[in-house]
Amino acid sequence: MTAADPAAAVLLAEGELTVRGRIREASNAALYCTVTHEGREAACVYKPVAGERPLWDFPDGTLAGREVAAYEVSEATGWGLVPPTVLRDGPYGEGMCQLWIETAPGAELLALVDGEEPEPGWKAIGFAEVGEGRTALLVHADDERLRRLAVLDAVINNADRKGGHLLPTAGNRLYGIDHGVTFNVEDKLRTLLWGWAGEPLTEEALDVLKGLRKALTDGGALAARLGPLITPAEIDATRTRVESLIATGTHPEPGGQWPAIPWPPV
């Protein structure tokens, strides 16, 4: 089953969830599972609320809901940048369940290069220490899929867009994962996708943002879907971020009051 399959969300929400193993690299409990329903089966990730690590700047037990909220906003953009994600009960209680994405090898989205400026086709992020007193320029691809993801991250206030959260797939698709630290009312945007900072948004992005503005109004379809997942204040803050992006017409720049790049970056 692919992420674009409209039945994927139903399978995730209603299927029987079987835990197959644990993803040890994750900072919170993340379980590799299979889900089966009416003769269909898919691999998925299940993150129970009970396995969430407490954070000083996010209320306890809210990360799963934020992951689902990020999926809902992604779907409202029409870009399909987040794999199907639902909130459901599972073997270890309520948690988020997300379709497993198989990545395609060889897709280069990030690189460390020598020199002061990126080569054509790349955008500069900043300089990084690479050992023995040497620095290199960290760059990301000048890729429209990444640019769309940068806009989505600005809307959801993603505090943790690392390189390992970028999943390119066969068929030229790109997905972003791990959206538990999003939708904070304070500006916490931390990302590797700063290459377009201060540049004008594309006409496509502005059209998408205007659609989000309408969907986020009181009684709007997206506002209704976000209601059970994040707080009213967080929905209001999302509206404000969308309005600001439309008003400025540019990609945001680092605010200076919060580390701009997540650590570790990958």
Side-chain angles (χ1 to χ4, degrees), residues 63 80 102 157 206 235:
L63 305 191
E102 292 291 346
N157 198 15
L206 286 169
I235 295 174

Side-chain angles (χ1 to χ4, degrees), residues 108-109 118-124 139-144 146 196:
E108 193 173 15
L109 299 174
E119 296 290 331
W122 295 89
K123 289 287 199 178
V139 297
H140 66 67
D142 187 2
D143 185 307
E144 69 172 8
L146 289 180
W196 297 281

